[in-house]
Amino acid sequence: MPAGERVTEVEIFGERYPLRASDSPDYLHRVAEYVDGKFCEVAKESPTLAPGRVAVLASLNIADELFKREETKRQAEQTVLARIDGIFELLHRGGVAE
């Protein structure tokens, strides 16, 4: 095992998984709890689904959240950059007029 890595055991959807990572156990438990929650949401909505299908749908839900957050972040960055460009334009005009 590489230096700094340790094994942390987490539980997701009733199954225990040993995770080898350099991240803190607290962080890994928070991530596992989040994933477990997504599994439980899907299972609650469709209680007859096989665990493999629950995993796929939970993964799709998590990926959807990630993509939407990334898009929101990208739009916010574009807004900030446009405002910065506007400020530079105002400063440039002010500097030329003087």
Side-chain angles (χ1 to χ4, degrees):
M1 184 167 14
E5 283 191 352
R6 65 182 143 261
V7 175
T8 302
E9 193 167 287
V10 300
E11 187 172 328
I12 299 171
F13 208 53
E15 297 284 329
R16 298 198 66 74
Y17 297 92
L19 303 179
R20 187 180 321 157
S22 57
D23 296 308
S24 75
D26 181 57
Y27 173 77
L28 294 174
H29 284 288
R30 286 192 343 252
V31 170
E33 286 174 12
Y34 180 80
V35 171
D36 184 62
K38 291 297 177 183
F39 272 57
C40 291
E41 285 176 16
V42 170
K44 185 178 179 181
E45 292 292 319
S46 303
T48 60
L49 283 180
R53 291 190 179 268
V54 170
V56 169
L57 291 175
S59 298
L60 287 170
N61 288 343
I62 292 168
D64 178 54
E65 287 178 2
L66 174 65
F67 279 50
K68 286 178 179 172
R69 285 182 185 167
E70 286 295 320
E71 179 61 21
T72 299
K73 177 183 167 191
R74 187 188 65 73
Q75 289 175 356
E77 288 172 349
Q78 286 181 334
T79 299
V80 168
L81 289 174
R83 288 182 178 175
I84 290 171
D85 286 344
I87 291 169
F88 279 134
E89 180 68 26
L90 288 172
L91 290 172
H92 178 69
R93 283 188 202 160
V96 172
E98 292 178 13

